[in-house]
Amino acid sequence: SIRCILSTMSRVNGMRVRQIILILSTLGWSWLGMMILHEFGHIMGAWNMGGTISKVVLYPLTFSRTDISNNPHPLAVTWAGPVVGVLMPLVLLGIAVLCKQSWAYLLRFFAGFCLVANGAYLGAGWTIKAGDAGDLLRYGAVPWQLCVFGICTTLAGLWLWNGQGSHWGLGKAGGQVSRRDAYASLAVFLMMVMLEFLAGGE
């Protein structure tokens, strides 16, 4: 009947909306979370090596940045950003897996995102000497070190992503995703955006 057809279409549309919400919001908070952990690495590196933090920029509309006014060990502090930025998500993923959380796949995506983003940042960034890649070269790192880091982390990130499509409604899942996870992911993203706006940018 027409009513049955309309009901089915409504369910399918609602399912697709949740799928879109899950995918886009996860990309959003993964991007923001990646920058937070990357800067956390720089901050921890500076604090543990006698550096002085003058400013940390975390804002949704710009790239993150940590300004250090006194930096006795700039090479190590610069490396700390991407290294901590890829290790901490893996630790979080490990905890979620050990605790057998159904939403561990979200942290699996996040860990893969951080690996790929940090890997590409250094693995390709050295060619234009941009950001941390440029700083590392100025402080004594050599291009092959950045390339090895970039290749290893990017491949590891892609491996983490492999075979995870069904969680996102892709393939045989036909758009079906967890309603709870979709709205929880959206809430996390909105909360992170709000907190960063409140913290202020430049």
Side-chain angles (χ1 to χ4, degrees):
S1 67
I2 295 177
R3 181 178 295 180
C4 182
I5 293 173
L6 291 175
S7 177
T8 301
M9 289 177 62
S10 178
R11 287 197 300 271
V12 170
N13 288 337
M15 194 167 58
R16 290 299 183 183
V17 168
R18 289 192 294 274
Q19 180 189 24
I20 292 170
I21 288 173
L22 178 64
I23 291 173
L24 294 183
S25 63
T26 301
L27 285 170
W29 63 256
S30 292
W31 171 255
L32 297 178
M34 178 273 297
M35 290 194 290
I36 290 171
L37 294 184
H38 183 99
E39 300 311 324
F40 179 72
H42 288 315
I43 292 167
M44 293 304 296
W47 280 349
N48 284 284
M49 297 178 194
T52 302
I53 307 295
S54 58
K55 187 174 186 179
V56 178
V57 175
L58 290 171
Y59 197 62
L61 302 180
T62 189
F63 290 107
S64 62
R65 189 181 78 246
T66 299
D67 296 336
I68 305 172
S69 57
N70 175 40
N71 194 0
H73 304 283
L75 180 61
V77 171
T78 306
W79 269 117
V83 171
V84 172
V86 299
L87 292 181
M88 280 200 68
L90 292 173
V91 171
L92 295 174
L93 171 61
I95 293 171
V97 170
L98 287 174
C99 295
K100 299 181 179 179
Q101 297 297 319
S102 62
W103 43 265
Y105 72 94
L106 293 170
L107 290 182
R108 184 183 180 102
F109 177 86
F110 177 55
F113 187 94
C114 291
L115 284 160
V116 171
N118 281 282
Y121 183 42
L122 296 191
W126 71 270
T127 59
I128 56 175
K129 298 180 179 180
D132 283 353
D135 290 340
L136 287 169
L137 294 175
R138 283 191 291 274
Y139 296 143
V142 291
W144 71 263
Q145 295 171 326
L146 277 64
C147 288
V148 169
F149 179 88
I151 292 170
C152 291
T153 54
T154 300
L155 290 178
L158 294 175
W159 177 80
L160 283 176
W161 283 347
N162 186 47
Q164 297 296 299
S166 61
H167 293 298
W168 311 93
L170 303 177
K172 294 181 179 179
Q176 186 170 358
V177 299
S178 166
R179 181 195 301 264
R180 180 200 63 186
D181 292 350
Y183 294 121
S185 177
L186 178 60
V188 169
F189 172 60
L190 293 176
M191 181 180 67
M192 292 176 71
V193 170
M194 181 184 67
L195 290 174
E196 290 198 357
F197 269 121
L198 290 174
E202 297 288 345

